[in-house]
Amino acid sequence: MFTIQNHLEKRNGHLIIAGVDTTNLTQEFGTPLYVTNEQRIRDNFNTYQKAFSHADLYYAAKANYNLTIMRILAQEGAGADVFSDGELYMALLAGIPGDRILFNGNSKTDRELAMAVETGVRISVDSLDELHALSRIASSGQKTVDIAFRVNPDVSPKTHPKISTGLKTSKFGIPHQDVVAAYKEAVELPGINPIGMHCHIGSQILDTSPFSEAINRMMDLVEQVTRLGVELEFLDLGSGLGIPYKKGEMVPTPQDLADIVLPIFNKRSQAIGIKLKLIIEPGRYIVGDTTILLTTVNTVKTAIKKFVGVDAGFNLLIRPAMYDSYHHVVVANKVDAKVSGIYTVVGPICETGDILASDRELPVVVKDDIIAILDVGAYGFSMSSQYNGRPRCTELLVNNGQVDVIRKGEDFDDLMMNQIVPSRFL
Ligand code: LLP
C-alpha cells in the first residue's frame, strides 16, 4: 500500500480512503459522492491543538457544517465560529457549548442578535450600528452579553482577493483607528460587556508574515484598550492558514504559525500585564484535506483540448470557478496507470466556467472511469447548490473500513421543496 497524499493510499490500482476502496463506494452509492475520512479530521484538529496547546480552537463552521462532522469536532473539544443563525443552530445541535461559540458576521439581523443573546454565546460586533442594536436587544431582556469587536487591521494576507478579509477596503470589521473609541462607547452601554477583541485577515494564506503583522497590530490595540480600563479576557486571531492543494507545495504548518504568533502574544501580554485567552478559528486546515469528491466520466471529447465530462460540476464544488482554485485530481480506478496525456476535467453545468481541473496529466481516461477530486472538505459541500436542476449528492463518512451515510443524496422532490404553485396555475 502506497500513500498518494496524506491519508489516501492505493491498492490494486484503486484509490483507498480510510481502508475503503473508492470503486466499491461508487458501485454501492453511485456518483457524485462526497467521502470524508473521520480519523483525518481528528488528526488535523489534534495537530492544530498541539501547536496551540493553551489556545481555544473555534472551528469555523462555514467550512463544513455537516452535523456528524461538527459532532466529531465537538467530541475533540472544539468551540465554534458561526456566521449566521443557521450555523449557530447547527453548532448547538452538534453539542458545542454556547460559551465556546463566537457569533461573527458583518450584517446581522436583529433576529440573529436576539438568538445569540438568548443562547448565551459571545458576539463579535462588526459595526457601531450593530453595537447599538445589540445593547437595545440585550438590555430589554435584562441580559448582559459578552462581546468582542471585529477589528479591520488593514493587513494584506497575500492571498486571493476574494478571500482577503482584513484589507482596509474590505467590508469586515471596524477600522483599527476607530476601535478604541468603540470600546469607550461600549463600556457605557447597557447590556454590553466588552471582554474580547477579534480579527480575521483572510484564508488560504501561505506565508506567516501577515499573521505576525496582524498579531502586533492587535496587541497594540489590546494595550490601548487595557489602558482605558477595559478588562479583556480573550483575543481571537481568526484563522486563514493555507493547505497544500498542489502536490509538493510547501506551506506553513500550525506549528510554524504558533512559532510566529505565540512569542509575540506571550511577550506583549506580559508587558501589558494581562492574562488573555488566545482563540484561533481554523476551518480549512481541519477539514480541507479530509474529503474527496468522486465523480464518473460521462464523455471524453477531443477538441482544442481533451475534455473529460464528469457528473459533478460547480454545483458541487464551486472553488475552481469562483477563485481559480487548484484541486488535485486522480483517476480512482487507475491510480497506477502511466500518464498518457493532458486532460481538462469539466462539469455538466451549462456555463463555460464549469471547469474543475485544467490541463492535467492523467492516464488514458475513458467513459465510466471514476475521477477523484482531492481536498474538497472545506468550502466544498457547504457552498454547493442545485443549479441546473441538480439534486445535491450523498455524503459518506469512512473510518477504518467502516462506511456511514452522513447525508443522503437529494432527489427531484428536494428540487421542488417549499415551492408553492398558486391554485390558478394548477
Ligand atoms: N473565522 C472567520 C471570521 C472567517 O471569516 C473564516 C473564513 C474563518 C474563521 C476560517 O478560515 P479558514 O481557516 O478556513 O481559512 N470559500 C473560500 C473561503 C472563505 C473563507 C471565509 N472566512 C474558499 O473556498 O477558499
Side-chain angles (χ1 to χ4, degrees):
M1 195 99 109
F2 303 96
T3 301
I4 289 188
Q5 177 171 332
N6 301 324
H7 57 107
L8 300 175
E9 294 159 315
K10 52 183 176 172
R11 190 198 300 145
N12 305 327
H14 292 177
L15 178 67
I16 309 293
I17 179 167
V20 182
D21 188 325
T22 52
T23 62
N24 293 343
L25 293 177
T26 56
Q27 270 163 27
E28 187 174 350
F29 297 97
T31 60
L33 189 63
Y34 264 87
V35 186
T36 295
N37 182 343
E38 174 181 342
Q39 190 57 46
R40 186 71 185 169
I41 300 176
R42 296 187 191 277
D43 291 348
N44 287 346
F45 184 84
N46 287 314
T47 302
Y48 216 118
Q49 187 69 79
K50 212 167 138 212
F52 284 92
S53 53
H54 295 294
D56 270 349
L57 299 187
Y58 283 16
Y59 168 64
K62 60 186 81 70
N64 188 329
Y65 38 73
N66 180 287
L67 190 57
T68 308
I69 290 171
M70 300 247 281
R71 284 247 159 102
I72 292 167
L73 288 162
Q75 284 177 352
E76 294 297 328
D81 139 42
V82 300
F83 219 79
S84 66
D85 47 5
E87 286 186 2
L88 173 56
Y89 170 79
M90 292 186 280
L92 291 169
L93 202 62
I96 296 174
D99 61 0
R100 291 173 52 73
I101 294 177
L102 187 69
F103 196 124
N104 292 313
N106 65 296
S107 177
K108 305 182 188 82
T109 61
D110 285 2
R111 194 189 67 185
E112 286 178 312
L113 293 176
M115 180 174 173
V117 170
E118 200 50 46
T119 51
V121 303
R122 292 158 166 184
I123 302 177
S124 174
V125 174
D126 192 273
S127 66
L128 292 182
D129 257 4
E130 182 184 334
L131 179 69
H132 301 146
L134 186 58
S135 169
R136 245 188 352 262
I137 290 165
S139 55
S140 70
Q142 269 80 49
K143 294 243 168 85
T144 297
V145 58
D146 291 340
I147 69 145
F149 280 110
R150 167 80 178 253
V151 177
N152 181 325
D154 187 17
V155 169
S156 170
K158 305 183 202 158
T159 183
H160 193 283
K162 283 191 184 154
I163 49 176
S164 297
T165 49
L167 295 168
K168 66 171 177 250
T169 47
S170 150
K171 68 173 181 171
F172 298 104
I174 295 180
H176 62 94
Q177 63 277 14
D178 299 340
V179 163
V180 175
Y183 280 91
K184 268 191 197 149
E185 185 169 349
V187 289
E188 301 298 333
L189 284 176
I192 299 289
N193 186 25
I195 60 158
M197 200 182 280
H198 177 220
C199 75
H200 171 73
I201 57 173
S203 197
Q204 188 54 15
I205 300 171
L206 298 173
D207 177 357
T208 51
S209 64
F211 292 107
S212 71
E213 213 185 312
I215 182 80
N216 271 310
R217 176 141 291 164
M218 294 301 280
M219 292 310 290
D220 289 345
L221 292 170
V222 165
E223 189 170 352
Q224 291 173 50
V225 168
T226 304
R227 272 206 230 109
L228 278 183
V230 178
E231 289 180 19
L232 292 180
E233 292 174 19
F234 71 88
L235 173 65
D236 182 332
L237 203 57
S239 175
L241 189 63
I243 62 169
Y245 285 101
K246 291 190 178 137
K247 262 193 169 171
E249 192 174 17
M250 294 302 288
V251 307
T253 62
Q255 190 58 54
D256 295 330
L257 182 61
D259 290 345
I260 291 289
V261 164
L262 292 181
I264 302 172
F265 174 75
N266 292 332
K267 191 167 153 221
R268 297 211 51 189
S269 305
Q270 208 180 8
I272 303 167
I274 48 172
K275 216 169 158 35
L276 281 181
K277 185 76 179 173
L278 182 66
I279 296 173
I280 312 275
E281 303 174 332
R284 189 187 310 271
Y285 184 89
I286 306 297
V287 289
D289 73 1
T290 65
T291 303
I292 58 176
L293 173 56
L294 298 171
T295 177
T296 300
V297 175
N298 288 324
T299 56
V300 180
K301 172 166 67 185
T302 301
I304 186 96
K305 292 180 174 202
K306 278 190 195 145
F307 288 111
V308 176
V310 295
D311 62 4
F314 77 48
N315 52 322
L316 289 176
L317 181 67
I318 204 168
R319 301 193 69 258
M322 194 149 171
Y323 317 107
D324 296 318
S325 306
Y326 180 97
H327 283 267
H328 200 65
V329 296
V330 299
V331 184
N333 54 314
K334 294 178 178 168
V335 280
D336 281 332
K338 279 204 317 284
V339 166
S340 88
I342 308 286
Y343 294 87
T344 289
V345 181
V346 299
I349 298 296
C350 183
E351 300 260 358
T352 309
D354 185 28
I355 296 170
L356 295 166
S358 290
D359 302 323
R360 303 297 174 83
E361 289 189 334
L362 293 174
V364 176
V365 181
V366 296
K367 183 171 172 54
D368 296 330
D369 278 343
I370 304 293
I371 303 270
I373 307 168
L374 309 191
D375 306 316
V376 298
Y379 312 106
F381 200 100
S382 68
M383 294 180 79
S384 64
S385 73
Q386 295 174 329
Y387 182 46
N388 261 188
R390 294 189 175 273
R392 289 185 187 81
C393 69
T394 302
E395 284 184 282
L396 301 179
L397 187 73
V398 288
N399 190 33
N400 220 352
Q402 186 184 336
V403 180
D404 290 293
V405 176
I406 55 171
R407 187 192 307 258
K408 72 180 173 68
E410 295 175 348
D411 58 21
F412 294 156
D413 286 340
D414 294 299
L415 297 181
M416 295 299 116
M417 195 160 59
N418 297 334
Q419 292 198 43
I420 297 168
V421 181
S423 58
R424 68 181 189 281
F425 296 103
L426 292 176

